[in-house]
């Protein structure tokens, strides 16, 4: 039996945040995770709260926080803890040499690969749109063979939007891949990680773009959580560069995950990968241990407290079975509409939320799970991230925001 103060189940953004906070509080922490979580493929921005339930954007995340429903995770966590979580995150990134920008008082609107803009709160320096105010000349830059990124669509749609009504040009860079397969952002980022790739890219851009312009790029500026590729390209080409949000895999989330893993390793957190937690040993309302199952054998991990951060339907923290949603480790009640026919809104493109997105585990103000009758289900288990009930991250733009704030708060409670 392996012993820690805190066991975190799940290595997504909620779990890694919880582990970092618990470690900072002096706890011994073990993270058990079967996979990498959505952070690896996600945009890496911290969407705190973009819109209300009517689909209208809030003036700022702080303005939205004041209006959320009582069942929303932010209502349980509280505004002060959300602010503390944001401060913790900004400080961690700054210390790691990969500062993020933004605050709760400002809604940031950032460009996407579709040439639309989306609301968010905290962004890496590469996604800060401030340089756009300094010029009217913009190049939408594409990479030959890169899947799902079309610079002319970015330019055509963006130029219709206020703040983006500039003169657009298209620039194409050829990474000279010959493998004959689809090229993803990860391939381009790895190319730009190399000295020869950066020099080749710089040479091609110098031949096409005029100094003083802003270059809009897909998120490909290296795999590492630093701004070396950004700085080198900006200096050499004498342009400012902004990465757009793009389809997965986006290197912006990948970099953030690498930053968190580096931090956790240096903070002494034990990370057990490919650790599928199959069951829990519970006695008298307390969890004593969880058990991982691999092909060879079972292993038990015991702790004083457990943070369940294993995602929603997508991550594997919730499962849909005929007629019901289940939480497979502790068998906690999952709050869902009574009939499965009510789980989804068939009008996919309407301005209404999807009921299935709000399915999850109901918690009290300490983020501990509630039984069907509203009493505390487990004394020493805390829920963080996507398996929490009461929010539609995709509709309201709050995915990594809820993961950050609940991961932080759960770790403050243990
Ligand atoms: C494609 C995509 C792009 C997105 N982009 C953004 C964005 O740009 N900004 C934003 O704010 N939000 C974004 N989101 C939403 C955001 O990524 C998620 O809401 C948030 O990161 C969820 O984090 P999580 O840790 O709760 O869950 P997950 O990321 O799902 O992590 C769950 C973890 O638990 C592990 N796990 C599951 N079951 C077990 C088990 N039994 N035993 C052990 N481990 C287990 C999984 O392997 C995984 O590591 C995006 C989501 C997607 C799908």
């Amino acid at each position: 039996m392996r012993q820690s103060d805190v066991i975190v189940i799940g290595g997504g953004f909620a779990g890694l945040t919880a582990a970092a906070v618990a470690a900072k509080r002096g706890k011994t922490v073990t993270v058990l995770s079967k996979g990498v979580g959505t952070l690896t493929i996600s945009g890496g921005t911290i969407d705190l709260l973009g819109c209300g339930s009517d689909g209208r954007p809030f003036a700022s995340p702080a303005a939205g926080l004041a209006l959320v429903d009582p069942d929303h995770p932010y209502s349980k966590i509280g505004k002060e803890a959300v602010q503390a979580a944001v401060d913790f995150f900004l400080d961690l990134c700054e210390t790691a040499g990969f500062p993020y920008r933004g605050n709760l008082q400002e809604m940031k609107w950032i460009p996407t690969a579709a040439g639309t803009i989306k609301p968010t709160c905290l962004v890496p320096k590469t996604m800060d749109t401030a340089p756009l105010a300094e010029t009217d000349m913009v190049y939408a830059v594409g990479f030959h063979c890169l899947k799902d990124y079309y610079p002319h669509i970015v330019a055509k749609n963006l130029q219709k939007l206020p703040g983006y009504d500039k003169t657009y040009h298209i620039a194409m860079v050829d990474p000279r891949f010959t493998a004959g397969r689809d090229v993803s952002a990860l391939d381009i980022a790895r190319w730009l990680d190399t000295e020869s790739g950066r020099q080749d890219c710089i040479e091609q851009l110098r031949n096409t773009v005029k100094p003083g312009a802003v270059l809009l790029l897909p998120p490909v500026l290296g795999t590492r959580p630093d701004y070396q590729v950004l700085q080198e390209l900006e200096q050499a080409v004498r342009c400012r560069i902004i990465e757009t949000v793009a389809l997965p895999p986006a290197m912006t989330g990948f970099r953030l995950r690498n930053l968190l893993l580096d931090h956790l390793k240096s903070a002494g957190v034990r990370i057990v990968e490919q650790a599928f937690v199959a069951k829990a040993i519970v006695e008298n309302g307390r969890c004593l241990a969880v058990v991982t199952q691999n092909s060879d054998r079972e292993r038990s991990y015991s702790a004083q407290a457990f943070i369940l951060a294993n995602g929603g339907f997508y991550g594997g923290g919730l499962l849909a079975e005929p007629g019901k949603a289940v939480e497979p480790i502790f068998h906690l009640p999952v709050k869902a509409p009574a009939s499965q026919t009510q789980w989804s809104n068939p009008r996919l493109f309407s301005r209404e939320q999807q009921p299935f997105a709000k399915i999850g585990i109901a918690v009290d103000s300490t983020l501990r799970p509630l039984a069907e009758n509203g009493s505390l289900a487990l004394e020493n288990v805390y829920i963080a991230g996507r398996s929490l009930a009461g929010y539609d991250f995709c509709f309201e733009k709050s995915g990594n925001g809820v993961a950050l704030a609940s991961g932080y708060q759960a770790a403050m409670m243990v």
Side-chain angles (χ1 to χ4, degrees), residues 9-15 32-39 41-47 118 248 275-278 309-312 314-317 329 384-387 391 393 398-401 403:
I9 304 165
F13 189 43
L32 302 173
S33 192
K34 76 175 165 82
V36 293
T38 47
L39 182 59
I41 55 166
S42 86
T45 59
I46 313 301
D47 302 351
K118 75 161 244 185
F276 172 68
V277 177
N310 58 345
Y314 189 73
I329 299 174
R386 196 58 204 99
S387 56
Y391 75 113
F393 89 85
S398 64
N400 283 337

